[in-house]
Amino acid sequence: MQAKQMWQRFASWLLDWRSHALTLLTVLLVYAGIHLWQTRQLPSGPAPSFSVPNASPQASNIDFDHWRQQHTGRAVALHFWADWCPICRLEEDSISRLQQDWPVLAVATQSGDAPRVQAALQRRGLPWLSAVDADGAVARRYGLASVPAFIVVDAQGRIRFAELGYTTPVGMRLRLWWAQTF
């Protein structure tokens, strides 16, 4: 009799496991579909160049091509953020730590002029090199309709990954590593 009860328990667990696996698969497919829809307008191929003001009052404009040349042979990241974006605040610590190991250029999108962006960086204690995209023109060139966005550009200047919304610290590092290695 115990063998029959054990088999029934196992069969019940197996049915539960399959229903949970189906739910997990459905969630993953929905997530992938949403991600593909959100990133459908992001450019591929060469990363668009731009030259915009630097948030630092001591520096001149930031020219993306010149900045990227300072990191020859390395994958680089663009982090589009906004002062008013609550999800961007969740990523602040991740971006600060990522900058210790990888070249990251923050792009403050629709967050005001350079002094206002610099004040936000100082208020939050963020040591970021930040370009000021006051009117959102750079974000539009990259096909972005929302922030935060995380763009990885490989050593040849091609966009390899583009993520909208929150990106995990591990996800950021793995994308940069992949673009650097492969």
Side-chain angles (χ1 to χ4, degrees), residues 156-172:
Q156 290 73 40
R158 293 182 317 251
I159 295 174
R160 292 289 296 273
F161 296 100
E163 296 295 323
L164 291 175
Y166 182 81
T167 305
T168 65
V170 170
M172 292 175 189

Side-chain angles (χ1 to χ4, degrees), residues 14-170:
L14 191 59
L15 287 174
D16 288 344
W17 179 85
R18 280 194 267 171
S19 70
H20 294 304
L22 183 59
T23 301
L24 179 61
L25 180 62
T26 302
V27 167
L28 290 174
L29 288 173
V30 167
Y31 173 79
I34 290 170
H35 174 73
L36 288 172
W37 182 78
Q38 285 181 324
T39 59
R40 72 192 180 283
Q41 294 182 359
L42 298 182
S44 58
S49 60
F50 59 88
S51 181
V52 293
N54 188 335
S56 174
Q58 296 89 352
S60 60
N61 282 1
I62 293 176
D63 180 271
F64 175 66
D65 292 333
H66 179 69
W67 175 79
R68 205 172 58 72
Q69 288 172 359
Q70 294 173 357
H71 307 286
T72 301
R74 297 209 56 201
V76 300
L78 291 171
H79 172 64
F80 289 84
W81 66 285
D83 181 36
W84 44 265
C85 169
I87 298 171
C88 299
R89 290 183 187 193
L90 293 173
E91 289 186 331
E92 287 176 355
D93 189 48
S94 300
I95 296 298
S96 294
R97 283 184 290 178
L98 184 66
Q99 283 189 331
Q100 295 171 6
D101 302 319
W102 292 94
V104 179
L105 176 60
V107 182
T109 302
Q110 297 179 337
S111 295
D113 59 6
R116 185 166 177 209
V117 171
Q118 181 61 26
L121 292 169
Q122 287 178 340
R123 184 174 61 251
R124 295 182 185 158
L126 301 173
W128 300 353
L129 172 63
S130 194
V132 178
D133 182 21
D135 62 358
V138 175
R140 283 191 299 278
R141 288 191 70 197
Y142 276 82
L144 302 175
S146 64
V147 290
F150 188 77
I151 311 278
V152 174
V153 179
D154 67 15
Q156 290 73 40
R158 293 182 317 251
I159 295 174
R160 292 289 296 273
F161 296 100
E163 296 295 323
L164 291 175
Y166 182 81
T167 305
T168 65
V170 170

Side-chain angles (χ1 to χ4, degrees), residues 3-16:
K4 185 176 181 180
Q5 288 176 341
M6 287 176 56
W7 175 251
Q8 287 174 340
R9 285 185 190 166
F10 176 73
S12 174
W13 175 84
L14 191 59
L15 287 174
D16 288 344

